[in-house]
Amino acid sequence: MTNRLRFALVVAMSLPAATGLAQDQDWYTFNGDLKAQKYSTATQITPQNVQHLKAAWTTHTGDVSDGSEGKPVSDWSATPLFVNDTVYVGTPFYRIFAIEPDTGKVKWTYDTKAVLKAVTQPDLKTRGVAYWQAADVEAGQACQKIVYMGTMDAKLHAVDADTGKLCPGFAQGGILDLNQWNTTNNKWPLSILQPPTVYKDTLFIGWAGKDWAESFAPPGRVFAVDARTGALKWTFDALPPAYAANTGTANVWASMSVDPETGILYLPVSSPSPNYYGGDRKEQLPLATSITALDADTGKVVWSRQLVHHDIWDYDTNSAPVLVDIDKDGKTIPALVQSSKQGFLYVLDRRTGEPIYPIEETPVPQSVVAGDQAAPTQPYVAVPPPVVDAEWPGISKLADIASLGYCSRKFHELRYDGKFTPPSLEGSLTYPATVGGTEWGGGAVDPTTQTYVVNSSSTVQLYQLIKRDEYNDITRNGTPDGYYPQTGGPYGFHIETFLNPLGMPCWNPPYGTLSSYDLKTGKLLWKEPFGEVQKWGFYMPHSWGSVTIGAPLITQSGLIFIGASMDSRVRAIDLKTGKVLWQSIVDAPAVAMPATYSYKGKQYVVFVAGGNAILTPKVSDEIVAFALPAAS
Amino acid sequence: MVQARWKSVSYGAWLFLLSSGAALCLSVIDYLFAAGINHTGGVVLVIVSTAALLLAALLAIAFALAPWLRGLLNVGIFLGLLGTGFAAYLLEAPWLLVLMVVALAAWVSQLVRGTHREVRFVGHHAQPGAMS
C-alpha cells in the first residue's frame, strides 16, 4: 500500500469522526455534506423504478405569508437536514421543526420569536438550519447535539437536537447576537438567513444585508465561533480595513464548503456596495466578488481568486464552491467548481486557486458614467462552456408583436455592448442579470463519474443609474417599484426585468436550462430546457424552460432530483440523458434544495415547497417526502 | 315542422349541452382542487367560457333563432370551443380537453345532421303523411 493510498484511507475513515457524523445516507448540511457535492450514495430509487415514487408523508408548518396579513411575504429556501434520525427544517417565521423521518409527525418545534418584519430583505426569508454534534456524545447530557437557526434580526439560536430546548451554555442563554460585532456602517442588522457552516467544533457564520439601499454599508465580515459556547474564535474581512468605511458588504451570504482533508474553508464572497456604481470604491478590492480559501482554524487567507473586477453588476459569488477530485491528464487534481450569476463555471485547483481550465482576461465595455471607471478586462471562461450564451438571446418576436413593437423600441433606447455592459444613465441591457446565470443553489456533482449538473436561468434586466436630484424627485412621494437609493452616493438606481406591458419577456427562450458537464474534459454532456413557465395557471411550452431558483441533487443510482422551477413541479431526471423520468406537483415552487436520506431501509427524497416571489407569488408551508411504495 | 326541427338538432345538441355542462362542473372542481392550477386566473377563464358555451347550447336548443343570429351563435360557439380547448391544453387539464373535443364533435355533427334533415323535410312536405 502506498503512503498516498494509506493516507487517503485514513482520511476517509476519520471523516465521520471529524464531523461527528455517519455520512453515508444522512443529509447533514445545507449542501448535503461539507464538500457541497449534493450527492448521495443511496441507490434504492433508480431510473427504472422512479416512476413509482409516491408521497410518503406531507407536513404543513403553518409558517407562510402571502403578504396580505401585515407580514412580509414568505420566501422559504430551507434545505431539510436529515441527521440524528430526524428531519430538521427551519421555517421563514424562524421556527425549527424536528420531524419523524418516516411519518412526517412533528417531534418538537422551537420558536425563536424573531421579529417578523422586513428588517433587511423584503421577504421573510430563510435557508434553514445547521447541525453540530460532539465527537464523543456523552449519554444523558443535553446539547451534545445542537440545531442552529438564524434570524433576520441577527440572532443565532442554539437548540438541543433531541428536545428542542435552548442550550444555555451557548452565547447568552443559548442565543448569539451577531449584531454585537456590527460596528462599522451599521445601517442594518446582520441577517443570518443562511445557516452557518459547521466543521469540527466551529461555526462559520456569514450574513445578508439590505440590498442596494446604502453606498456605505457594514463590511463583509465572516465570524468563526465555538459551536458549544458561541465564543468568537476569529473573524475574516474581505475588504481592506482602510477602505471599509467607504464601501461595505463584500460579505458571504451564501453557503460555504470545507475540505475535511486539508481543513480549508471556501468562501463565496459577494460584491461590494454600492452594487451598481463603483466611483467611491475605485481602489483594488481583490477579495470582493471572489472565491477565497481560508485556513479553517485561523481564518488566514490561503488563496483568493477574484471572479469579477470592480463589480458594478451585483455579480455576487453566490454559492458554495463544489469540491471534487478530477482525473485529468493522468493525474487526480483536488478541484472545486464555482458556478456564478455571470454564467461562467470556474474550475480551479482547490489547493492553490489556479485554474484547471483556462481563465482569460478579456477586454470589456467601459463605463461612461461620470465618476466611475469600469475594469478594463474581466476573467472569461470558455471551458466548461458557460451556462448561458455569450450574447443576449435577442428580441422575442411573439412579445414584440403582442406589444406592438414595444420590445424593439425599448431595446433601441438602451445601451448594450455585450457581456459586462456597465450600468448607464440611459439604461443598460444586462445579460445575464443579477438573478443569473446560476443562483445560490449552485450545482451538484457525482464524484464517481465527475459529472457536474447545474440549473441556470437566462434573464435580461435593465439597469439605470439616476442622478441623485432626479432620484429624489422620483421618490419624493414614495418609492415606486424597482427604485433603490444607494444612499450616500451620487446615483440612485432603477432595475426592471425586460418585459413588455403585457408582462411577457422581451427576450427569446429558453428562460431556464439544466446542464451536465464532464469535468474530466470540460465538455458539455447535455443541456435541456428545464421546468415550465406558468402564468395564470397556463403552462407555456416545455422548450421555453423556466427561470430557476434552487439546486439539484444527484444519487449514485443515476438520478437527479430537483424542484427549482416556477411551475411548482418537482422532478427526477436521468443523469445520463437529461430526460425527465418522473414529476409531481407540490403546493408552490420548491425553490429549496431537496434532500435525500435512508431510514429503516427506505430511501426518501424530501422537498420543501415554499415559493419565492422572484418566480411567482405562490407560497406554501409544505414539506413533502417521496418514497417508493413497499412493493416497488 | 317546429317539432321535427327540434328532433333534428337534438342528438348533437344534447351531447353538446351535456359536455359543456360537464366541462363547467369539471372546471369548477379544477379551480377548487386541481394541483398546480387551482385558484388560478386561467381556470376562472375556463369556467366563464364553459358557462358561456352552456348558455349558447341552451339558446340554440330552446329558441328558434333567426338565421343570422344562429349563424352568429355558431361562430361564437366554434371560437369558444377552440379557445376553451386551447386553454385546457395550456392548463394541462386533459379531461377538460377531452370534453371540448367531444363538444366540438357533437356541435359539428349537429350542424351537419341538422342541415341534412332540413333538406329531407322538404321532401316530406311533398309527401304528406310521411311524418307519422
Side-chain angles (χ1 to χ4, degrees):
Chain A
M1 187 184 288
T2 63
N3 283 343
R4 187 187 172 92
L5 185 56
R6 187 176 295 119
F7 175 72
L9 274 175
V10 168
V11 166
M13 291 167 70
S14 63
L15 214 52
T19 57
L21 302 169
Q23 292 208 324
D24 251 3
Q25 294 181 4
D26 284 355
W27 200 267
Y28 65 95
T29 78
F30 177 74
N31 292 301
D33 66 5
L34 284 169
K35 291 184 172 179
Q37 293 185 337
K38 307 177 192 78
Y39 176 77
S40 169
T41 54
T43 54
Q44 189 175 75
I45 304 170
T46 67
Q48 288 71 42
N49 64 20
V50 70
Q51 72 273 17
H52 301 303
L53 217 53
K54 300 281 182 213
W57 55 261
T58 300
T59 297
H60 290 269
T61 67
D63 291 358
V64 61
S65 169
D66 62 4
S68 64
E69 293 176 0
K71 288 198 241 350
V73 69
S74 51
D75 175 347
W76 196 19
S77 309
T79 308
L81 304 190
F82 173 71
V83 66
N84 192 35
D85 285 349
T86 305
V87 173
Y88 297 102
V89 189
T91 77
F93 288 9
Y94 307 105
R95 294 199 297 159
I96 305 172
F97 276 68
I99 296 168
E100 289 180 3
D102 52 345
T103 65
K105 285 183 184 164
V106 177
K107 290 181 171 180
W108 55 257
T109 62
Y110 171 80
D111 190 349
T112 63
K113 297 188 170 59
V115 176
L116 300 183
K117 289 182 179 170
V119 182
T120 54
Q121 299 280 303
D123 306 334
L124 294 176
K125 184 186 286 187
T126 183
R127 285 192 283 278
V129 296
Y131 179 88
W132 167 86
Q133 75 178 45
D136 298 308
V137 175
E138 294 176 43
Q141 292 290 311
C143 297
Q144 300 288 295
K145 304 168 186 172
I146 298 177
V147 180
Y148 304 90
M149 172 99 210
T151 67
M152 202 188 298
D153 55 355
K155 308 286 196 304
L156 184 70
H157 293 240
V159 173
D160 183 273
D162 290 326
T163 64
K165 306 291 183 197
L166 266 178
C167 293
F170 182 82
Q172 289 80 44
I175 302 169
L176 174 67
D177 185 356
L178 211 61
N179 241 15
Q180 65 183 296
W181 300 314
N182 183 10
T183 53
T184 306
N185 291 334
N186 53 346
K187 308 283 174 53
W188 20 257
L190 308 179
S191 297
I192 311 172
L193 307 180
Q194 176 68 43
T197 299
V198 183
Y199 173 58
K200 292 186 176 172
D201 292 333
T202 305
L203 311 179
F204 305 101
I205 309 169
W207 50 268
K210 192 170 185 176
D211 292 329
W212 315 337
E214 302 285 344
S215 292
F216 313 119
R221 183 167 292 174
V222 173
F223 304 92
V225 305
D226 188 286
R228 287 186 179 84
T229 66
L232 187 64
K233 290 185 170 182
W234 53 256
T235 60
F236 161 76
D237 288 295
L239 294 172
Y243 304 134
N246 300 325
T247 170
T249 60
N251 52 322
V252 178
W253 58 261
S255 62
M256 312 168 201
S257 46
V258 180
D259 186 342
E261 296 163 25
T262 59
I264 293 178
L265 172 71
Y266 296 91
L267 309 180
V269 182
S270 77
S271 57
S273 66
N275 290 106
Y276 299 104
Y277 172 74
D280 294 324
R281 51 171 173 84
K282 288 182 187 165
E283 304 85 0
Q284 294 287 318
L285 304 172
L287 302 190
T289 315
S290 74
I291 309 169
T292 296
L294 305 182
D295 182 322
D297 289 333
T298 65
K300 302 295 179 201
V301 174
V302 178
W303 59 261
S304 181
R305 175 167 287 275
Q306 189 163 58
L307 305 183
V308 179
H309 307 315
H310 190 71
D311 188 346
I312 45 177
W313 300 270
D314 192 17
Y315 281 155
D316 298 341
T317 311
N318 62 354
S319 64
V322 174
L323 312 187
V324 60
D325 294 347
I326 297 176
D327 298 320
K328 186 171 184 296
D329 304 328
K331 290 184 288 188
T332 299
I333 307 169
L336 67 79
V337 186
Q338 179 68 63
S339 57
S340 64
K341 289 184 176 187
Q342 56 271 28
F344 293 130
L345 296 173
Y346 307 87
V347 185
L348 309 179
D349 186 323
R350 68 175 183 263
R351 297 166 298 188
T352 62
E354 290 304 310
I356 293 171
Y357 296 106
I359 298 176
E360 294 191 1
E361 290 294 333
T362 304
V364 291
Q366 292 300 290
S367 176
V368 293
V369 170
D372 205 352
Q373 185 174 3
T377 63
Q378 294 290 353
Y380 270 60
V381 180
V383 178
V387 297
V388 293
D389 292 337
E391 286 294 317
W392 88 293
I395 295 278
S396 158
K397 282 183 182 163
L398 181 63
D400 203 29
I401 291 167
S403 60
L404 307 176
Y406 169 88
C407 297
S408 301
R409 288 195 303 277
K410 184 73 182 172
F411 177 67
H412 286 111
E413 294 170 7
L414 299 166
R415 179 180 177 192
Y416 177 66
D417 298 322
K419 203 160 192 158
F420 294 109
T421 299
S424 59
L425 294 176
E426 71 266 35
S428 294
L429 185 146
T430 306
Y431 180 81
T434 184
V435 292
T438 301
E439 260 292 346
W440 48 260
V445 72
D446 177 346
T448 60
T449 60
Q450 295 152 42
T451 305
Y452 178 81
V453 175
V454 66
N455 55 296
S456 58
S457 303
S458 174
T459 56
V460 179
Q461 286 184 307
L462 314 183
Y463 292 0
Q464 185 179 20
L465 292 168
I466 303 166
K467 288 178 181 167
R468 181 59 57 199
D469 290 349
E470 193 183 334
Y471 183 87
N472 290 343
D473 286 343
I474 292 169
T475 58
R476 192 171 309 280
N477 298 316
T479 306
D481 281 350
Y483 286 84
Y484 297 90
Q486 300 191 128
T487 303
Y491 300 98
F493 185 71
H494 180 244
I495 183 170
E496 64 177 307
T497 303
F498 192 15
L499 306 176
N500 73 11
L502 301 172
M504 301 164 70
C506 277
W507 68 98
N508 282 315
Y511 306 116
T513 54
L514 189 69
S515 305
S516 171
Y517 296 88
D518 181 353
L519 293 176
K520 297 190 290 292
T521 61
K523 286 184 178 166
L524 181 69
L525 296 172
W526 51 258
K527 184 174 188 176
E528 294 285 336
F530 175 74
E532 287 177 23
V533 171
Q534 192 180 21
K535 186 81 175 172
W536 302 308
F538 297 128
Y539 295 96
M540 299 298 118
H542 174 70
S543 60
W544 290 14
S546 159
V547 173
T548 68
I549 297 178
L553 71 78
I554 297 175
T555 67
Q556 190 177 323
S557 58
L559 286 170
I560 301 163
F561 287 97
I562 182 169
S565 76
M566 67 185 295
D567 60 5
S568 303
R569 286 189 167 122
V570 296
R571 293 173 168 87
I573 291 165
D574 190 328
L575 178 60
K576 283 186 183 154
T577 64
K579 301 299 175 200
V580 175
L581 300 177
W582 167 88
Q583 63 184 19
S584 182
I585 294 178
V586 291
D587 279 357
V591 294
M593 288 189 259
T596 187
Y597 58 87
S598 296
Y599 180 70
K600 292 184 178 174
K602 194 166 207 173
Q603 184 187 350
Y604 297 82
V605 183
V606 58
F607 291 89
V608 160
N612 184 310
I614 291 175
L615 294 181
T616 158
K618 201 186 262 189
V619 290
S620 175
D621 61 347
E622 185 186 45
I623 309 167
V624 195
F626 293 91
L628 293 171
S632 294
Chain B
M1 176 65 186
V2 171
Q3 186 188 2
R5 195 174 178 288
W6 174 264
K7 281 184 180 175
S8 76
V9 296
S10 65
Y11 305 115
W14 279 117
L15 185 57
F16 175 66
L17 187 75
L18 212 64
S19 45
S20 298
L24 177 60
C25 293
L26 188 60
S27 55
V28 170
I29 291 168
D30 281 352
Y31 180 78
L32 295 173
F33 305 113
I37 57 172
N38 55 3
H39 300 101
T40 59
V43 185
V44 172
L45 189 67
V46 169
I47 290 172
V48 170
S49 65
T50 49
L53 285 171
L54 186 64
L55 191 67
L58 287 169
L59 275 177
I61 289 171
F63 299 99
L65 301 171
W68 68 270
L69 199 54
R70 176 163 292 278
L72 207 61
L73 193 69
N74 282 336
V75 171
I77 286 172
F78 186 67
L79 292 177
L81 284 168
L82 288 185
T84 309
F86 186 57
Y89 170 76
L90 291 181
L91 290 167
E92 299 188 3
W95 287 111
L96 209 51
L97 183 58
V98 166
L99 285 171
M100 286 302 102
V101 171
V102 170
L104 182 64
W107 189 250
V108 169
S109 127
Q110 181 272 333
L111 286 178
V112 173
R113 284 171 60 84
T115 306
H116 287 170
R117 291 290 273 275
E118 290 279 338
V119 171
R120 205 142 55 90
F121 293 155
V122 174
H124 290 167
H125 279 288
Q127 296 175 317
M131 292 293 288
S132 58

